[in-house]
Amino acid sequence: MLSTVTARPNFCVSTKTRGSFRQSASTLLGIKQRNSHGSCRQNVVVQSSLTVYGHPGTRSPLINWYLYEIDIPFKVLAPSNPGNPHPFGQVPALQDEGGVEMFESGAILFYLSDKYGGLDTPEKRADCGKWIMWANATLDPILFKENENGKVIGTGMGGTPSNVIKLEKILEGKEFLVNDEFSVADVAVASYLLYVPQFFRDVDMGRWPNISAYMLRCADREAYIKAYGEDTAAYCRGMCENYLNGSMKKDMFKQVDWS
């Protein structure tokens, strides 16, 4: 299965106008901006030969999300495609010009934000990079509890993980993680948080209103909607709204059976 994707980011945030937010986020994201005459305000690479290997039912859409945000075209191939460079045959995986082959979502986000997103120096990568690593090294094991065979058997979000409690405090009075502007750091962290309403629908995130509001802002972005699909994004937004107002919508989808 092959589909060609041309990214066209539009930003949708409840507390800011679409236009003003796009302008403020452009510096940190490295997003290509256009004025009313269609000319570029910022020169970034917008042509690529990127191939993403993935599937909607995996974690690979988070790569698509970031690529939509930074307006980089890419094509998508199925995990079973013989060109998949992942040594274990999994996804996400990525190929780029010059023989570049990548696997692991965090490594791919590092590469894309460096080459295409404007975070091309150690200083620029510092703030975002630590959050990408945190999402993969700390948040992922909290969200997905696995048995000795690596099979997901549940989540730690039903408890009170200390790192989640700390994240709730970090997000107090903030819209996004780095300089209060949307960045690749938010793609890394929010994509994982938004797996809670998708896969663990009995978990009530209302205990963490700052995190719930953050999740809602991110799920409301058009790039997220495009990457994950309108139905999934709408469901996540509905769940986040119910976390915040105290009423859960657990009957919209069936609970995931991990057995």
Side-chain angles (χ1 to χ4, degrees):
M1 178 180 70
L2 167 63
S3 59
T4 300
V5 185
T6 302
R8 180 176 56 84
N10 291 297
F11 303 104
C12 183
V13 180
S14 57
T15 57
K16 295 186 179 181
T17 64
R18 189 176 296 177
S20 64
F21 188 81
R22 290 181 69 176
Q23 185 174 5
S24 65
S26 62
T27 301
L28 190 58
L29 274 167
I31 291 174
K32 175 172 172 281
Q33 295 290 307
R34 295 183 180 273
N35 60 26
S36 59
H37 301 289
S39 62
C40 296
R41 296 178 183 174
Q42 183 176 353
N43 294 322
V44 298
V45 177
V46 295
Q47 292 184 348
S48 74
S49 56
L50 285 171
T51 299
V52 176
Y53 292 82
H55 186 273
T58 69
R59 302 178 195 184
S60 60
L62 73 91
I63 304 301
N64 302 9
W65 180 13
Y66 183 59
L67 287 169
Y68 287 135
E69 294 281 6
I70 60 175
D71 197 16
I72 299 299
F74 62 100
K75 63 183 178 181
V76 177
L77 293 177
S80 59
N81 187 284
N84 184 355
H86 199 300
F88 303 103
Q90 300 173 331
V91 292
L94 178 139
Q95 290 175 326
D96 198 7
E97 59 189 359
V100 172
E101 296 184 338
M102 303 285 299
F103 63 97
E104 292 295 332
S105 61
I108 293 171
L109 289 179
F110 270 115
Y111 172 77
L112 294 174
S113 60
D114 186 330
K115 183 171 181 178
Y116 298 105
L119 303 183
D120 53 359
T121 68
E123 292 76 17
K124 291 178 182 178
R125 286 191 293 270
D127 284 339
C128 291
K130 59 194 178 189
W131 284 109
I132 296 173
M133 292 299 297
W134 185 82
N136 284 267
T138 301
L139 185 57
D140 178 282
I142 294 172
L143 292 174
F144 297 101
K145 295 298 183 182
E146 300 178 349
N147 63 18
E148 64 276 10
N149 296 317
K151 183 178 180 179
V152 176
I153 57 175
T155 180
M157 294 300 286
T160 54
S162 60
N163 283 285
V164 176
I165 294 172
K166 179 63 176 179
L167 180 63
E168 171 72 11
K169 294 178 181 178
I170 290 172
L171 286 169
E172 184 174 0
K174 296 178 63 176
E175 291 198 346
F176 300 107
L177 291 169
V178 179
N179 300 329
D180 215 16
E181 294 182 328
F182 188 87
S183 74
V184 67
D186 300 296
V187 172
V189 173
S191 61
Y192 277 87
L193 291 170
L194 285 163
Y195 288 132
V196 174
Q198 294 179 58
F199 299 128
F200 307 109
R201 291 161 186 145
D202 287 328
V203 173
D204 186 357
M205 296 287 289
R207 294 172 292 167
W208 301 298
N210 296 325
I211 294 176
S212 297
Y214 170 72
M215 292 164 61
L216 178 58
R217 283 190 292 275
C218 291
D220 200 32
R221 298 178 70 83
E222 289 191 22
Y224 180 88
I225 296 168
K226 193 170 183 179
Y228 284 87
E230 292 184 1
D231 290 343
T232 296
Y235 177 74
C236 288
R237 292 195 304 272
M239 288 292 284
C240 291
E241 289 168 354
N242 284 279
Y243 297 151
L244 291 167
N245 65 29
S247 61
M248 291 279 287
K249 287 183 181 178
K250 293 183 287 187
D251 58 343
M252 295 177 66
F253 286 84
K254 291 181 180 180
Q255 176 69 24
V256 172
D257 182 5
W258 296 107
S259 61

